[in-house]
Amino acid sequence: MAGIYLHIPFCKQKCSYCNFHFSTDLKLKSQMVNAICSELELRKSEILGPVETIYFGGGTPSLLDLNEINQIFESIFKNYSVISNPEVTLEANPDDLTYEKIKELKSTPINRFSIGIQSFFDEDLRLMNRAHNANEAIFSVKTAQDFGFENITIDLIYGSPSTTDEIWQKNLEIALELKVLHISSYALTVEPKTVLDYQIQTKKIPEIDEEKQARQFQILVDTLTTNDFIHYEISNFGKEGFLSQHNSNYWKGKTYLGIGPSAHSYDGKNRSWNIPNNSVYLKEIAQNRLPNEVEVLNENDRFNELIMIRLRMKEGLNSEEIKSKFPQEFYEDFLSEIRIHLDNETVYLEDRNFRLTEKGKFLADGIASSLFRVD
């Protein structure tokens, strides 16, 4: 089964840490929706099996109005075979999820919200230049629940210069009090050429404290696992029955179709991505041309992706999978390279599965990259 990802490249304002592709000029929003529907039709032959997940990402998909959302759904259901009860997620900012907006969304196939809370504290939200405040964050979750949206995930960011350990612990306690069933949580990352990067370089705010981030990551893991959340991927925690199907399919290597400017796709052998330029995207789609690039994955690419994805997951990396999918030398080199991580107790071996220890989870990306094969 496959998934469809829809990139909605618009936001009200730019968060200080964000380097995703989007525009704050909403004049082209209606034209963009038309183009996304055209791309869905142009690429309908790329998915042969039934679609089991649909994900509106961005950007800020909650900026779409009801007619625009329904227009996209009409195009999906017209051109693709979709299972009877797909997981349909809409990323949303709290300030968009008003009573009336949620009431409208209840009439659509959307059955899951991913709400960009980031923090329940105004000092954190101001530093990140978020468009909402703490009260709106709590209101959005409670109101969505009141309308029957049970399947809600929230994003939380730790390790910000304004986030003390006490504030971080309180953030998690508020999420638990709200009975949120899924939490995605990330360390604040300084991406080049972002406002946050500039603020740190000009010493307007302190540099990122990696020791604090590691400490707050452990607070995150301890608090949520103690409260019966399954830590099923490095940054993702969910109650039983509420793990993200769409994102899990990414990590399991299933096929997905990415629609919209900058969206990525994967067909099992190749990766492709649309150009991250709204004007060029609109122009090319209007000419019935796909504005994308395609990368044919070689053996090293596929091996490296397997390492990266599997080590991030609760199940870990099965040694037999490496043996069955790659040449013997790949397996032998892997066993040699991973030895240092076993010795450092950042990785352990159990039932032929290599898994990250608690110490290793915060170092996941570095551990994975040390095991990559280089062309």
Side-chain angles (χ1 to χ4, degrees):
M1 294 189 179
I4 294 177
Y5 172 82
L6 304 139
H7 188 80
I8 310 300
F10 300 104
C11 287
K12 286 181 184 175
Q13 65 187 49
K14 188 178 183 67
C15 298
S16 65
Y17 55 86
C18 184
N19 70 339
F20 287 179
H21 169 67
F22 69 91
S23 171
T24 55
D25 182 355
L26 305 184
K27 293 196 296 289
L28 295 175
K29 184 159 66 78
S30 178
Q31 190 178 343
M32 182 63 68
V33 169
N34 291 335
I36 283 171
C37 291
S38 295
E39 187 186 358
L40 281 164
E41 184 168 3
L42 283 171
R43 301 181 67 184
K44 61 185 178 182
S45 64
E46 292 185 35
I47 293 183
L48 302 179
V51 173
E52 65 174 353
T53 63
I54 300 168
Y55 194 103
F56 289 78
T60 311
S62 51
L63 288 175
L64 298 179
D65 63 35
L66 182 62
N67 289 334
E68 290 165 340
I69 290 172
N70 281 332
Q71 182 183 344
I72 292 173
F73 278 125
E74 287 173 11
S75 183
I76 291 173
F77 287 101
K78 174 186 175 183
N79 291 293
Y80 299 86
S81 172
V82 182
I83 64 172
S84 59
N85 186 32
E87 178 193 82
V88 184
T89 303
L90 178 83
E91 287 187 353
N93 279 349
D95 47 300
D96 291 330
L97 293 181
T98 62
Y99 180 93
E100 287 301 321
K101 181 76 170 188
I102 296 172
K103 183 179 179 181
E104 288 181 348
L105 294 173
K106 188 65 178 174
S107 69
T108 72
I110 293 164
N111 52 29
R112 184 175 185 268
F113 282 139
S114 176
I115 306 178
I117 301 287
Q118 314 311 355
S119 177
F120 292 104
F121 287 83
D122 286 332
E123 53 262 52
D124 288 341
L125 298 173
R126 283 192 294 268
L127 183 141
M128 299 178 205
N129 198 37
R130 296 291 292 167
H132 68 279
N133 60 41
N135 288 334
E136 288 172 320
I138 293 173
F139 176 86
S140 66
V141 175
K142 287 184 174 180
T143 307
Q145 291 170 332
D146 289 344
F147 271 97
F149 284 97
E150 182 185 20
N151 197 353
I152 294 173
T153 178
I154 66 171
D155 286 350
L156 292 175
I157 289 178
Y158 59 88
S160 164
S162 58
T163 309
T164 64
D165 290 355
E166 291 74 24
I167 285 178
W168 179 236
Q169 184 68 58
K170 186 61 177 174
N171 264 312
L172 297 173
E173 289 171 3
I174 293 172
L176 293 172
E177 289 167 7
L178 289 170
K179 295 183 169 53
V180 172
L181 298 175
H182 188 284
I183 295 173
S184 297
S185 190
Y186 310 92
L188 183 66
T189 303
V190 184
E191 300 291 350
K193 299 181 181 180
T194 59
V195 173
L196 180 63
D197 183 34
Y198 172 79
Q199 289 173 327
I200 290 175
Q201 287 189 28
T202 56
K203 303 190 184 304
K204 291 184 177 180
I205 61 173
E207 292 188 10
I208 298 299
D209 183 341
E210 292 187 2
E211 287 186 8
K212 183 173 81 169
Q213 289 195 332
R215 193 168 63 245
Q216 291 185 0
F217 175 76
Q218 199 57 53
I219 292 172
L220 168 73
V221 173
D222 293 343
T223 300
L224 295 187
T225 54
T226 299
N227 284 275
D228 300 322
F229 279 79
I230 301 168
H231 189 191
Y232 69 106
E233 194 271 345
I234 291 295
S235 303
N236 286 271
F237 304 76
K239 290 294 182 79
E240 187 70 50
F242 292 92
L243 311 189
S244 169
Q245 295 176 36
H246 185 84
N247 289 336
S248 292
N249 287 348
Y250 288 159
W251 303 320
K252 292 174 183 176
K254 292 191 177 184
T255 59
Y256 57 90
L257 190 63
I259 302 292
S262 82
H264 286 235
S265 304
Y266 177 61
D267 65 5
K269 295 180 180 178
N270 308 312
R271 293 206 179 277
S272 63
W273 53 93
N274 289 341
I275 190 167
N277 182 300
N278 288 2
S279 298
V280 174
Y281 173 83
L282 291 172
K283 182 180 179 181
E284 291 296 297
I285 292 295
Q287 300 296 320
N288 290 327
R289 294 194 295 259
L290 295 178
N292 66 0
E293 294 183 42
V294 179
E295 177 189 14
V296 179
L297 300 180
N298 62 32
E299 212 161 34
N300 282 357
D301 295 330
R302 291 188 291 106
F303 176 83
N304 294 346
E305 288 202 2
L306 180 72
I307 297 295
M308 175 63 79
I309 293 169
R310 292 290 192 271
L311 279 180
R312 292 186 64 89
M313 298 179 69
K314 178 176 179 284
E315 294 82 359
L317 174 65
N318 187 279
S319 59
E320 294 303 310
E321 188 172 9
I322 298 176
K323 275 186 177 181
S324 64
K325 292 182 176 179
F326 300 97
Q328 180 66 20
E329 67 177 284
F330 281 51
Y331 180 66
E332 292 173 356
D333 290 346
F334 167 77
L335 289 182
S336 175
E337 294 296 330
I338 203 167
R339 173 55 56 190
I340 189 172
H341 302 297
L342 293 167
D343 293 342
N344 289 339
E345 298 183 344
T346 52
V347 173
Y348 69 100
L349 178 62
E350 181 180 59
D351 298 329
R352 297 183 179 178
N353 288 312
F354 291 92
R355 298 188 176 99
L356 297 174
T357 64
E358 288 302 308
K359 184 169 71 169
K361 287 176 181 176
F362 186 70
L363 307 171
D365 289 349
I367 293 170
S369 63
S370 73
L371 301 169
F372 288 170
R373 297 185 67 86
V374 181
D375 289 331

